[in-house]
Amino acid sequence: MKIFTTEGIRRIDEATIERENIKQLDLMERAANAVVYQIISRWHPSKRIVIFAGPGNNGGDALAAARLLAEQGYRSEVYLFNVKGTRLSHCCETNRDRLKNMDRVTLYEVIDTFTPPELGPNDLVIDGLFGSGLSNPLKGGYASTVQYINDSHAFVVSIDIPSGLFGEWNAGIDRRNVVRANLTLALQFKRLSFFFRENAEFLGEVVVLDLEMDQYAIASTPTDFYLIERDDVKRELRPQGQFINKYDNGTVFLVAGSYGMMGAATLAARGAMRAGAGLVTVHAPKCGFMPLACTVPEVLFEADQSEFFTTDIELHHRYSVVALGPGISTTVETAAAIDSFIKRYRFPCILDADALNCIASRPVLIHSIPKGSILTPHDSEFDRLFGEHITEEDRLKKAIDVSRLYEITIVLKGKFTKTVRPDGKVYINSTGNPGLATAGSGDVLTGVIAAFIAQGYSPDWSVALGVYVHGLAGDIAVKEQGTHGLIAPDVANAVGRAIQSIVGADPSERD
């Protein structure tokens, strides 16, 4: 599913109005009806409702909702901010006029001074001050109003987007001046800003309201941001043929593990096998032989010359994909081995965990990473490589820049894992749960991504597919173990079921 910028959404609005030969007011009526449906399905008409409406179209949505609520027997107190120096939008003004002298609606038009109503935890506030079209951070009286709403402890429903929050980037805002909604009713689309951890406190529950916007406009409007959902993955995943052999499913060379960290190698190898790789070879120190033989006997073992950590990385065969990093340690010898390998290996590879930490200890190595390679850092690993970042938004901006600069794909792991491609496209994952925040989960992901690349999936999709399937495996496993009890082996063992749930029944099992 596409995630559009505010400008993109404006274009889609205009195209819908033109193609359906309707007015902006008609589209606003759709939005208001969808908002009201959510309100009346959750609250009884006895609920006290206080509506704050701004001078633009977001305020128009709120005023239209007040009218429709009144028609359903709900009473509301409406505060319309029509302060000096501003001008109501045409739609807002029209909906204001429709409210005048209407039963069950008490309309206060704020022009000079504002005496706020008393609000408490039992009240419902509908926030229609400013939508995603906001052009500047809130200040002055509007900022004070937002802070008053936040301090009231009332249940807050924001129409479209919490007032004060921008649809995309929010680096310049004062976070005190953003409405903290309990429920955000997004009109047709989620906004990019909804997918950053630092904005979660403003959003509460997010419900997307379908306004039946023009599908051609949605399909033809460009964007660089996509939310990867089940249907997207189902289109790309393919069932295995009945006459394949293991080499058709690709070969993975995995450099992983060290003394005390062989679990990382085990998990990455198991993730790759469960995701369908035909053959996995693990290069690890000699001490890793017994742990691997006992836990994943189906993989091949290639011993390093060292007993305890990796010191040499040589490819004695051709492999579909090479992945380096899970649990390899950051000893001087291992860092030197990573340095040597990266400088002479000219094909794309996967770099994770300690491979990234080794590169961070020798920053000049970043310039030698083969083009087309995939980096899978969590926040701290990313910051070690590319500098300290405070917010996920800043981290994504940096990832877009360095992905394009070095022609690499970066997987920013987190609640909404973001796959950043060199062409500027960003795929945001929709699967996963808090239980995946557990040791070894990222190692499984490395193996899953490697397996999809080995099986010949297109570079455009293999990483996003791996991230989605990994998250879905976590969603399947959490049903048995719960978020507190979920551990990485549970995720690895559910990968096969995750894939099968998407592609459907095995052909051999059909009637």
Side-chain angles (χ1 to χ4, degrees):
M1 181 180 76
K2 290 181 174 179
I3 300 172
F4 294 103
T5 63
T6 299
E7 174 61 22
I9 293 172
R10 185 188 63 78
R11 293 180 190 175
I12 294 169
D13 284 352
E14 292 174 350
T16 300
I17 291 168
E18 181 179 353
R19 289 180 182 275
E20 296 187 19
N21 194 26
I22 59 175
K23 298 179 180 179
Q24 180 71 49
L25 274 168
D26 299 319
L27 197 58
M28 186 171 287
E29 199 74 1
R30 287 187 198 176
N33 270 291
V35 168
V36 167
Y37 177 81
Q38 291 292 322
I39 300 299
I40 64 177
S41 66
R42 295 168 184 253
W43 289 281
H44 191 270
S46 61
K47 188 74 172 177
R48 183 191 180 210
I49 301 175
V50 181
I51 298 175
F52 293 88
N57 283 348
N58 192 245
D61 293 332
L63 296 176
R67 171 172 45 83
L68 295 172
L69 282 168
E71 292 172 358
Q72 296 296 322
Y74 288 72
R75 295 184 178 277
S76 61
E77 304 162 39
V78 180
Y79 292 82
L80 170 61
F81 289 82
N82 186 14
V83 298
K84 290 181 178 179
T86 65
R87 181 179 178 182
L88 299 182
S89 72
H90 170 69
C91 291
C92 185
E93 185 175 19
T94 301
N95 277 300
R96 177 202 61 183
D97 294 342
R98 289 174 176 175
L99 277 185
K100 289 181 176 179
N101 303 317
M102 190 170 188
D103 291 339
R104 300 190 181 90
V105 177
T106 304
L107 175 63
Y108 303 94
E109 197 160 353
V110 180
I111 298 175
D112 294 309
T113 59
F114 173 49
T115 302
E118 290 188 11
L119 296 174
N122 294 324
D123 298 327
L124 173 63
V125 168
I126 297 179
D127 161 35
L129 287 171
F130 295 96
S132 56
L134 185 68
S135 57
N136 294 297
L138 295 185
K139 57 184 179 180
Y142 287 120
S144 298
T145 300
V146 166
Q147 291 175 21
Y148 179 77
I149 292 172
N150 289 340
D151 291 341
S152 72
H153 303 294
F155 191 100
V156 180
V157 177
S158 285
I159 299 175
D160 193 29
I161 188 170
S163 293
L165 191 69
F166 293 110
E168 291 81 52
W169 313 115
N170 287 275
I173 66 171
D174 185 335
R175 305 182 74 80
R176 297 172 300 175
N177 300 337
V178 179
V179 167
R180 286 175 168 79
N182 302 96
L183 172 64
T184 298
L185 301 178
L187 303 182
Q188 192 68 50
F189 308 104
K190 289 185 177 181
R191 307 304 196 261
L192 178 63
S193 58
F194 290 10
F195 298 96
F196 297 125
R197 179 194 309 162
E198 58 269 17
N199 297 333
E201 63 178 306
F202 306 123
L203 299 168
E205 177 190 358
V206 177
V207 175
V208 179
L209 306 182
D210 184 5
L211 305 188
E212 298 181 352
M213 307 290 267
D214 183 74
Q215 291 301 308
Y216 177 79
I218 292 173
S220 60
T221 300
T223 183
D224 287 332
F225 304 97
Y226 301 84
L227 181 66
I228 301 300
E229 298 180 301
R230 187 182 187 87
D231 288 346
D232 303 311
V233 176
K234 187 175 179 63
R235 283 194 298 268
E236 297 296 325
L237 278 179
R238 54 180 183 263
Q240 291 185 330
Q242 297 190 47
F243 295 97
I244 61 172
N245 62 53
K246 61 187 176 185
Y247 295 105
D248 293 326
N249 284 334
T251 55
V252 175
F253 185 76
L254 178 63
V255 181
S258 59
Y259 183 76
M261 292 290 290
M262 286 310 301
T266 296
L267 291 166
R270 185 174 294 168
M273 295 301 296
R274 291 293 189 187
L279 188 65
V280 175
T281 299
V282 177
H283 178 97
K286 295 174 183 177
C287 67
F289 173 72
M290 285 304 295
L292 281 166
C294 293
T295 54
V296 278
E298 60 272 18
V299 306
L300 300 179
F301 180 78
E302 180 182 283
D304 191 272
Q305 63 185 9
S306 168
E307 183 72 28
F308 301 113
F309 45 80
T310 295
T311 60
D312 65 290
I313 306 171
E314 296 286 345
L315 298 183
H316 304 294
H317 306 281
R318 292 193 64 178
Y319 296 92
S320 305
V321 62
V322 175
L324 308 93
I328 61 174
S329 82
T330 56
T331 65
V332 173
E333 294 86 350
T334 300
I338 292 293
D339 186 312
S340 176
F341 179 81
I342 287 177
K343 286 179 177 176
R344 69 176 187 275
Y345 189 68
R346 292 296 89 205
F347 298 98
C349 58
I350 302 171
L351 298 167
D352 179 39
D354 281 337
L356 300 176
N357 294 328
C358 288
I359 294 171
S361 69
R362 304 180 180 204
V364 71
L365 262 184
I366 293 173
H367 301 281
S368 300
I369 295 174
K371 293 180 180 180
S373 291
I374 298 153
L375 280 61
T376 60
H378 55 57
D379 290 355
S380 296
E381 291 164 348
F382 183 88
D383 288 356
R384 290 184 199 115
L385 285 167
F386 302 113
E388 195 71 23
H389 298 82
I390 304 301
T391 64
E392 287 191 352
E393 174 185 313
D394 288 341
R395 206 167 280 115
L396 177 60
K397 287 179 178 178
K398 184 66 172 184
I400 292 171
D401 289 342
V402 298
S403 175
R404 183 179 287 112
L405 176 63
Y406 298 116
E407 298 182 48
I408 55 178
T409 294
I410 298 177
V411 180
L412 293 173
K413 295 186 287 194
K415 160 64 177 171
F416 296 107
T417 294
K418 300 169 182 69
T419 300
V420 183
R421 286 180 12 190
D423 61 0
K425 303 292 185 186
V426 178
Y427 294 127
I428 301 174
N429 190 46
S430 63
T431 56
N433 59 79
L436 287 169
T438 185
S441 177
D443 302 321
V444 177
L445 175 61
T446 295
V448 173
I449 292 173
F452 280 113
I453 296 173
Q455 291 170 81
Y457 284 91
S458 68
D460 286 355
W461 275 99
S462 55
V463 181
L465 290 177
V467 171
Y468 182 93
V469 167
H470 174 264
L472 181 58
D475 292 339
I476 291 172
V478 81
K479 294 177 182 178
E480 299 176 358
Q481 304 297 338
T483 55
H484 289 81
L486 193 68
I487 56 176
D490 301 327
V491 180
N493 290 335
V495 167
R497 280 179 287 161
I499 296 172
Q500 200 63 28
S501 73
I502 300 170
V503 300
D506 190 300
S508 65
E509 298 175 355
R510 297 173 184 163
D511 295 334

